[in-house]
PDB file of all heavy atoms in Angstrom:
ATOM      1  N   ILE A 102      17.218   7.334  -0.267  1.00 98.00           N
ATOM      2  CA  ILE A 102      16.642   6.052   0.161  1.00 98.00           C
ATOM      3  C   ILE A 102      15.952   5.334  -0.951  1.00 98.00           C
ATOM      4  O   ILE A 102      15.640   5.965  -1.984  1.00 98.00           O
ATOM      5  CB  ILE A 102      15.577   6.297   1.365  1.00 98.00           C
ATOM      6  CG1 ILE A 102      14.450   7.202   0.962  1.00 98.00           C
ATOM      7  CG2 ILE A 102      16.276   6.688   2.615  1.00 98.00           C
ATOM      8  CD1 ILE A 102      13.339   7.315   2.053  1.00 98.00           C
ATOM      9  N   PHE A 103      15.677   4.056  -0.837  1.00 98.00           N
ATOM     10  CA  PHE A 103      14.911   3.398  -1.767  1.00 98.00           C
ATOM     11  C   PHE A 103      13.482   3.170  -1.377  1.00 98.00           C
ATOM     12  O   PHE A 103      13.258   2.909  -0.166  1.00 98.00           O
ATOM     13  CB  PHE A 103      15.518   1.885  -1.995  1.00 98.00           C
ATOM     14  CG  PHE A 103      16.798   1.747  -2.704  1.00 98.00           C
ATOM     15  CD1 PHE A 103      17.462   2.880  -3.234  1.00 98.00           C
ATOM     16  CD2 PHE A 103      17.342   0.600  -3.007  1.00 98.00           C
ATOM     17  CE1 PHE A 103      18.656   2.810  -3.954  1.00 98.00           C
ATOM     18  CE2 PHE A 103      18.559   0.388  -3.650  1.00 98.00           C
ATOM     19  CZ  PHE A 103      19.129   1.609  -4.142  1.00 98.00           C
ATOM     20  N   VAL A 104      12.460   3.382  -2.244  1.00 98.00           N
ATOM     21  CA  VAL A 104      11.185   2.980  -1.955  1.00 98.00           C
ATOM     22  C   VAL A 104      10.858   1.882  -3.034  1.00 98.00           C
ATOM     23  O   VAL A 104      10.864   2.258  -4.261  1.00 98.00           O
ATOM     24  CB  VAL A 104      10.175   4.169  -2.020  1.00 98.00           C
ATOM     25  CG1 VAL A 104       8.755   3.762  -1.956  1.00 98.00           C
ATOM     26  CG2 VAL A 104      10.500   5.217  -0.932  1.00 98.00           C
ATOM     27  N   THR A 105      10.451   0.708  -2.578  1.00 98.00           N
ATOM     28  CA  THR A 105       9.904  -0.248  -3.587  1.00 98.00           C
ATOM     29  C   THR A 105       8.395  -0.092  -3.751  1.00 98.00           C
ATOM     30  O   THR A 105       7.726   0.163  -2.712  1.00 98.00           O
ATOM     31  CB  THR A 105      10.313  -1.740  -3.265  1.00 98.00           C
ATOM     32  OG1 THR A 105       9.478  -2.079  -2.144  1.00 98.00           O
ATOM     33  CG2 THR A 105      11.784  -1.851  -2.934  1.00 98.00           C
ATOM     34  N   GLY A 106       7.874  -0.377  -4.827  1.00 98.00           N
ATOM     35  CA  GLY A 106       6.391  -0.245  -5.114  1.00 98.00           C
ATOM     36  C   GLY A 106       5.961   1.267  -5.114  1.00 98.00           C
ATOM     37  O   GLY A 106       4.810   1.347  -4.817  1.00 98.00           O
ATOM     38  N   GLY A 107       6.822   2.121  -5.351  1.00 98.00           N
ATOM     39  CA  GLY A 107       6.505   3.533  -5.357  1.00 98.00           C
ATOM     40  C   GLY A 107       5.576   4.030  -6.413  1.00 98.00           C
ATOM     41  O   GLY A 107       5.111   5.197  -6.437  1.00 98.00           O
ATOM     42  N   ALA A 108       5.253   3.169  -7.379  1.00 97.00           N
ATOM     43  CA  ALA A 108       4.217   3.644  -8.383  1.00 97.00           C
ATOM     44  C   ALA A 108       2.877   3.078  -8.040  1.00 97.00           C
ATOM     45  O   ALA A 108       1.888   3.309  -8.851  1.00 97.00           O
ATOM     46  CB  ALA A 108       4.625   3.108  -9.695  1.00 97.00           C
ATOM     47  N   VAL A 127      14.731  10.135  -3.460  1.00 98.00           N
ATOM     48  CA  VAL A 127      13.986   8.778  -3.408  1.00 98.00           C
ATOM     49  C   VAL A 127      14.251   8.046  -4.800  1.00 98.00           C
ATOM     50  O   VAL A 127      14.044   8.568  -5.850  1.00 98.00           O
ATOM     51  CB  VAL A 127      12.484   9.011  -3.359  1.00 98.00           C
ATOM     52  CG1 VAL A 127      11.769   7.701  -3.342  1.00 98.00           C
ATOM     53  CG2 VAL A 127      12.157   9.690  -2.034  1.00 98.00           C
ATOM     54  N   VAL A 128      14.836   6.853  -4.662  1.00 98.00           N
ATOM     55  CA  VAL A 128      14.910   5.968  -5.835  1.00 98.00           C
ATOM     56  C   VAL A 128      13.688   5.018  -5.681  1.00 98.00           C
ATOM     57  O   VAL A 128      13.588   4.238  -4.783  1.00 98.00           O
ATOM     58  CB  VAL A 128      16.212   5.141  -5.889  1.00 98.00           C
ATOM     59  CG1 VAL A 128      16.223   4.238  -7.068  1.00 98.00           C
ATOM     60  CG2 VAL A 128      17.377   6.147  -5.944  1.00 98.00           C
ATOM     61  N   ASN A 129      12.858   5.188  -6.645  1.00 98.00           N
ATOM     62  CA  ASN A 129      11.562   4.424  -6.701  1.00 98.00           C
ATOM     63  C   ASN A 129      11.729   3.174  -7.659  1.00 98.00           C
ATOM     64  O   ASN A 129      11.949   3.288  -8.786  1.00 98.00           O
ATOM     65  CB  ASN A 129      10.545   5.477  -7.267  1.00 98.00           C
ATOM     66  CG  ASN A 129       9.110   4.859  -7.420  1.00 98.00           C
ATOM     67  OD1 ASN A 129       8.922   3.626  -7.156  1.00 98.00           O
ATOM     68  ND2 ASN A 129       8.121   5.654  -7.724  1.00 98.00           N
ATOM     69  N   ILE A 130      11.694   2.025  -6.899  1.00 98.00           N
ATOM     70  CA  ILE A 130      11.952   0.743  -7.648  1.00 98.00           C
ATOM     71  C   ILE A 130      10.632   0.129  -7.828  1.00 98.00           C
ATOM     72  O   ILE A 130       9.997  -0.364  -6.855  1.00 98.00           O
ATOM     73  CB  ILE A 130      12.948  -0.097  -6.785  1.00 98.00           C
ATOM     74  CG1 ILE A 130      14.231   0.597  -6.576  1.00 98.00           C
ATOM     75  CG2 ILE A 130      13.179  -1.460  -7.489  1.00 98.00           C
ATOM     76  CD1 ILE A 130      15.199  -0.005  -5.694  1.00 98.00           C
ATOM     77  N   ASP A 131      10.158   0.001  -9.069  1.00 98.00           N
ATOM     78  CA  ASP A 131       8.853  -0.611  -9.338  1.00 98.00           C
ATOM     79  C   ASP A 131       8.810  -1.280 -10.666  1.00 98.00           C
ATOM     80  O   ASP A 131       9.339  -0.744 -11.648  1.00 98.00           O
ATOM     81  CB  ASP A 131       7.822   0.559  -9.278  1.00 98.00           C
ATOM     82  CG  ASP A 131       6.372   0.012  -9.109  1.00 98.00           C
ATOM     83  OD1 ASP A 131       5.930  -0.735 -10.022  1.00 98.00           O
ATOM     84  OD2 ASP A 131       5.746   0.389  -8.090  1.00 98.00           O
ATOM     85  N   LYS A 132       8.295  -2.393 -10.726  1.00 96.00           N
ATOM     86  CA  LYS A 132       8.305  -3.118 -12.036  1.00 96.00           C
ATOM     87  C   LYS A 132       7.182  -2.678 -12.944  1.00 96.00           C
ATOM     88  O   LYS A 132       7.052  -3.105 -14.085  1.00 96.00           O
ATOM     89  CB  LYS A 132       8.369  -4.696 -11.816  1.00 96.00           C
ATOM     90  CG  LYS A 132       7.003  -5.365 -11.625  1.00 96.00           C
ATOM     91  CD  LYS A 132       7.074  -6.839 -11.825  1.00 96.00           C
ATOM     92  CE  LYS A 132       5.761  -7.545 -11.617  1.00 96.00           C
ATOM     93  NZ  LYS A 132       5.743  -8.922 -11.703  1.00 96.00           N
ATOM     94  N   LEU A 133       6.233  -1.940 -12.400  1.00 95.00           N
ATOM     95  CA  LEU A 133       5.102  -1.492 -13.145  1.00 95.00           C
ATOM     96  C   LEU A 133       4.212  -2.834 -13.555  1.00 95.00           C
ATOM     97  O   LEU A 133       3.999  -2.948 -14.770  1.00 95.00           O
ATOM     98  CB  LEU A 133       5.409  -0.572 -14.231  1.00 95.00           C
ATOM     99  CG  LEU A 133       6.068   0.743 -13.968  1.00 95.00           C
ATOM    100  CD1 LEU A 133       6.324   1.587 -15.143  1.00 95.00           C
ATOM    101  CD2 LEU A 133       5.157   1.638 -12.977  1.00 95.00           C
ATOM    102  N   HIS A 151      13.440  12.674  -7.353  1.00 97.00           N
ATOM    103  CA  HIS A 151      12.752  11.420  -7.615  1.00 97.00           C
ATOM    104  C   HIS A 151      13.310  10.754  -8.816  1.00 97.00           C
ATOM    105  O   HIS A 151      13.271  11.149 -10.008  1.00 97.00           O
ATOM    106  CB  HIS A 151      11.229  11.688  -7.858  1.00 97.00           C
ATOM    107  CG  HIS A 151      10.474  10.491  -8.194  1.00 97.00           C
ATOM    108  ND1 HIS A 151       9.630  10.369  -9.286  1.00 97.00           N
ATOM    109  CD2 HIS A 151      10.363   9.324  -7.539  1.00 97.00           C
ATOM    110  CE1 HIS A 151       9.129   9.183  -9.375  1.00 97.00           C
ATOM    111  NE2 HIS A 151       9.448   8.569  -8.268  1.00 97.00           N
ATOM    112  N   ILE A 152      13.933   9.543  -8.593  1.00 96.00           N
ATOM    113  CA  ILE A 152      14.617   8.826  -9.593  1.00 96.00           C
ATOM    114  C   ILE A 152      13.799   7.468  -9.740  1.00 96.00           C
ATOM    115  O   ILE A 152      13.639   6.741  -8.743  1.00 96.00           O
ATOM    116  CB  ILE A 152      16.027   8.451  -9.224  1.00 96.00           C
ATOM    117  CG1 ILE A 152      16.889   9.734  -9.026  1.00 96.00           C
ATOM    118  CG2 ILE A 152      16.686   7.563 -10.305  1.00 96.00           C
ATOM    119  CD1 ILE A 152      18.137   9.626  -8.364  1.00 96.00           C
ATOM    120  N   PHE A 153      13.283   7.233 -10.988  1.00 96.00           N
ATOM    121  CA  PHE A 153      12.396   6.038 -11.083  1.00 96.00           C
ATOM    122  C   PHE A 153      13.268   4.966 -11.794  1.00 96.00           C
ATOM    123  O   PHE A 153      13.944   5.222 -12.800  1.00 96.00           O
ATOM    124  CB  PHE A 153      11.242   6.397 -12.017  1.00 96.00           C
ATOM    125  CG  PHE A 153      10.303   5.149 -12.109  1.00 96.00           C
ATOM    126  CD1 PHE A 153       9.611   4.647 -11.120  1.00 96.00           C
ATOM    127  CD2 PHE A 153      10.390   4.420 -13.299  1.00 96.00           C
ATOM    128  CE1 PHE A 153       8.886   3.504 -11.229  1.00 96.00           C
ATOM    129  CE2 PHE A 153       9.621   3.258 -13.468  1.00 96.00           C
ATOM    130  CZ  PHE A 153       8.868   2.843 -12.368  1.00 96.00           C
ATOM    131  N   SER A 154      13.163   3.801 -11.240  1.00 96.00           N
ATOM    132  CA  SER A 154      13.826   2.589 -11.909  1.00 96.00           C
ATOM    133  C   SER A 154      12.821   1.528 -12.104  1.00 96.00           C
ATOM    134  O   SER A 154      12.198   0.974 -11.220  1.00 96.00           O
ATOM    135  CB  SER A 154      15.030   2.090 -11.007  1.00 96.00           C
ATOM    136  OG  SER A 154      15.381   0.861 -11.611  1.00 96.00           O
ATOM    137  N   ARG A 155      12.573   1.245 -13.323  1.00 96.00           N
ATOM    138  CA  ARG A 155      11.652   0.129 -13.615  1.00 96.00           C
ATOM    139  C   ARG A 155      12.412  -1.255 -13.458  1.00 96.00           C
ATOM    140  O   ARG A 155      13.056  -1.642 -14.336  1.00 96.00           O
ATOM    141  CB  ARG A 155      11.029   0.164 -15.041  1.00 96.00           C
ATOM    142  CG  ARG A 155      10.047  -0.848 -15.312  1.00 96.00           C
ATOM    143  CD  ARG A 155       9.397  -0.725 -16.631  1.00 96.00           C
ATOM    144  NE  ARG A 155       8.225  -1.496 -16.707  1.00 96.00           N
ATOM    145  CZ  ARG A 155       7.265  -1.389 -17.623  1.00 96.00           C
ATOM    146  NH1 ARG A 155       7.469  -0.626 -18.617  1.00 96.00           N
ATOM    147  NH2 ARG A 155       6.187  -2.181 -17.635  1.00 96.00           N
ATOM    148  N   SER A 156      12.259  -1.780 -12.284  1.00 97.00           N
ATOM    149  CA  SER A 156      12.976  -2.966 -11.904  1.00 97.00           C
ATOM    150  C   SER A 156      12.115  -3.865 -11.101  1.00 97.00           C
ATOM    151  O   SER A 156      11.222  -3.475 -10.353  1.00 97.00           O
ATOM    152  CB  SER A 156      14.208  -2.667 -11.113  1.00 97.00           C
ATOM    153  OG  SER A 156      15.053  -1.695 -11.729  1.00 97.00           O
ATOM    154  N   ASP A 157      12.340  -5.147 -11.204  1.00 98.00           N
ATOM    155  CA  ASP A 157      11.675  -6.274 -10.473  1.00 98.00           C
ATOM    156  C   ASP A 157      12.445  -6.574  -9.221  1.00 98.00           C
ATOM    157  O   ASP A 157      13.616  -6.939  -9.240  1.00 98.00           O
ATOM    158  CB  ASP A 157      11.554  -7.398 -11.446  1.00 98.00           C
ATOM    159  CG  ASP A 157      10.629  -8.509 -10.843  1.00 98.00           C
ATOM    160  OD1 ASP A 157      10.477  -8.705  -9.638  1.00 98.00           O
ATOM    161  OD2 ASP A 157      10.005  -9.227 -11.675  1.00 98.00           O
ATOM    162  N   ILE A 158      11.801  -6.736  -8.046  1.00 98.00           N
ATOM    163  CA  ILE A 158      12.520  -6.993  -6.847  1.00 98.00           C
ATOM    164  C   ILE A 158      12.945  -8.396  -6.769  1.00 98.00           C
ATOM    165  O   ILE A 158      13.569  -8.877  -5.917  1.00 98.00           O
ATOM    166  CB  ILE A 158      11.717  -6.608  -5.572  1.00 98.00           C
ATOM    167  CG1 ILE A 158      10.349  -7.347  -5.512  1.00 98.00           C
ATOM    168  CG2 ILE A 158      11.539  -5.167  -5.346  1.00 98.00           C
ATOM    169  CD1 ILE A 158       9.745  -7.428  -4.156  1.00 98.00           C
ATOM    170  N   ALA A 163      19.835  -6.700 -10.817  1.00 98.00           N
ATOM    171  CA  ALA A 163      19.283  -5.310 -10.971  1.00 98.00           C
ATOM    172  C   ALA A 163      19.309  -4.592  -9.625  1.00 98.00           C
ATOM    173  O   ALA A 163      19.760  -3.393  -9.443  1.00 98.00           O
ATOM    174  CB  ALA A 163      17.876  -5.290 -11.497  1.00 98.00           C
ATOM    175  N   LEU A 164      19.027  -5.403  -8.492  1.00 98.00           N
ATOM    176  CA  LEU A 164      19.045  -4.665  -7.153  1.00 98.00           C
ATOM    177  C   LEU A 164      20.480  -4.376  -6.813  1.00 98.00           C
ATOM    178  O   LEU A 164      20.803  -3.260  -6.286  1.00 98.00           O
ATOM    179  CB  LEU A 164      18.409  -5.605  -6.247  1.00 98.00           C
ATOM    180  CG  LEU A 164      16.899  -5.919  -6.478  1.00 98.00           C
ATOM    181  CD1 LEU A 164      16.385  -6.919  -5.360  1.00 98.00           C
ATOM    182  CD2 LEU A 164      16.074  -4.594  -6.218  1.00 98.00           C
ATOM    183  N   LEU A 167      21.565  -1.237  -8.504  1.00 98.00           N
ATOM    184  CA  LEU A 167      20.905  -0.040  -7.854  1.00 98.00           C
ATOM    185  C   LEU A 167      21.544   0.239  -6.537  1.00 98.00           C
ATOM    186  O   LEU A 167      21.812   1.482  -6.290  1.00 98.00           O
ATOM    187  CB  LEU A 167      19.403  -0.341  -7.679  1.00 98.00           C
ATOM    188  CG  LEU A 167      18.593  -0.291  -8.948  1.00 98.00           C
ATOM    189  CD1 LEU A 167      17.156  -0.890  -8.675  1.00 98.00           C
ATOM    190  CD2 LEU A 167      18.430   1.109  -9.462  1.00 98.00           C
ATOM    191  N   PHE A 168      21.889  -0.718  -5.694  1.00 98.00           N
ATOM    192  CA  PHE A 168      22.609  -0.376  -4.421  1.00 98.00           C
ATOM    193  C   PHE A 168      23.989   0.199  -4.690  1.00 98.00           C
ATOM    194  O   PHE A 168      24.351   1.195  -4.041  1.00 98.00           O
ATOM    195  CB  PHE A 168      22.743  -1.672  -3.572  1.00 98.00           C
ATOM    196  CG  PHE A 168      21.494  -2.037  -2.768  1.00 98.00           C
ATOM    197  CD1 PHE A 168      20.748  -2.996  -3.052  1.00 98.00           C
ATOM    198  CD2 PHE A 168      21.186  -1.206  -1.633  1.00 98.00           C
ATOM    199  CE1 PHE A 168      19.555  -3.329  -2.292  1.00 98.00           C
ATOM    200  CE2 PHE A 168      20.090  -1.393  -0.859  1.00 98.00           C
ATOM    201  CZ  PHE A 168      19.245  -2.529  -1.238  1.00 98.00           C
ATOM    202  N   HIS A 171      23.457   3.922  -6.120  1.00 98.00           N
ATOM    203  CA  HIS A 171      22.829   4.991  -5.374  1.00 98.00           C
ATOM    204  C   HIS A 171      23.168   4.931  -3.841  1.00 98.00           C
ATOM    205  O   HIS A 171      22.871   5.996  -3.195  1.00 98.00           O
ATOM    206  CB  HIS A 171      21.282   4.834  -5.500  1.00 98.00           C
ATOM    207  CG  HIS A 171      20.807   5.148  -6.904  1.00 98.00           C
ATOM    208  ND1 HIS A 171      20.779   6.341  -7.529  1.00 98.00           N
ATOM    209  CD2 HIS A 171      20.399   4.190  -7.850  1.00 98.00           C
ATOM    210  CE1 HIS A 171      20.353   6.212  -8.786  1.00 98.00           C
ATOM    211  NE2 HIS A 171      20.186   4.950  -9.030  1.00 98.00           N
ATOM    212  N   VAL A 176      15.870   1.329   3.089  1.00 98.00           N
ATOM    213  CA  VAL A 176      14.875   0.847   2.164  1.00 98.00           C
ATOM    214  C   VAL A 176      13.466   0.882   2.825  1.00 98.00           C
ATOM    215  O   VAL A 176      13.301   0.372   3.992  1.00 98.00           O
ATOM    216  CB  VAL A 176      15.266  -0.585   1.716  1.00 98.00           C
ATOM    217  CG1 VAL A 176      14.108  -1.194   0.844  1.00 98.00           C
ATOM    218  CG2 VAL A 176      16.593  -0.700   1.045  1.00 98.00           C
ATOM    219  N   LEU A 179       7.506  -1.604  -0.138  1.00 98.00           N
ATOM    220  CA  LEU A 179       6.142  -1.771  -0.322  1.00 98.00           C
ATOM    221  C   LEU A 179       5.712  -2.613  -1.514  1.00 98.00           C
ATOM    222  O   LEU A 179       4.555  -2.968  -1.718  1.00 98.00           O
ATOM    223  CB  LEU A 179       5.364  -0.338  -0.573  1.00 98.00           C
ATOM    224  CG  LEU A 179       5.472   0.615   0.604  1.00 98.00           C
ATOM    225  CD1 LEU A 179       6.588   1.631   0.339  1.00 98.00           C
ATOM    226  CD2 LEU A 179       4.187   1.384   0.677  1.00 98.00           C
ATOM    227  N   ALA A 180       6.671  -2.889  -2.455  1.00 98.00           N
ATOM    228  CA  ALA A 180       6.369  -3.582  -3.572  1.00 98.00           C
ATOM    229  C   ALA A 180       5.627  -4.954  -3.245  1.00 98.00           C
ATOM    230  O   ALA A 180       6.211  -5.735  -2.457  1.00 98.00           O
ATOM    231  CB  ALA A 180       7.614  -3.869  -4.493  1.00 98.00           C
ATOM    232  N   LEU A 206      15.282  -9.104  -2.181  1.00 99.00           N
ATOM    233  CA  LEU A 206      15.554  -7.772  -1.691  1.00 99.00           C
ATOM    234  C   LEU A 206      16.341  -7.796  -0.366  1.00 99.00           C
ATOM    235  O   LEU A 206      17.313  -7.038  -0.194  1.00 99.00           O
ATOM    236  CB  LEU A 206      14.242  -6.979  -1.531  1.00 99.00           C
ATOM    237  CG  LEU A 206      14.409  -5.532  -1.142  1.00 99.00           C
ATOM    238  CD1 LEU A 206      15.085  -4.702  -2.149  1.00 99.00           C
ATOM    239  CD2 LEU A 206      12.941  -4.915  -0.846  1.00 99.00           C
TER     240      LEU A 206
END
Side-chain angles (χ1 to χ4, degrees):
I102 58 173
F103 285 2
V104 172
T105 71
V127 176
V128 177
N129 178 353
I130 300 170
D131 196 300
K132 82 167 183 184
L133 298 181
H151 178 233
I152 299 164
F153 181 73
S154 172
R155 185 173 195 173
S156 305
D157 187 329
I158 57 160
L164 294 176
L167 286 164
F168 275 109
H171 298 287
V176 175
L179 296 97
L206 181 65

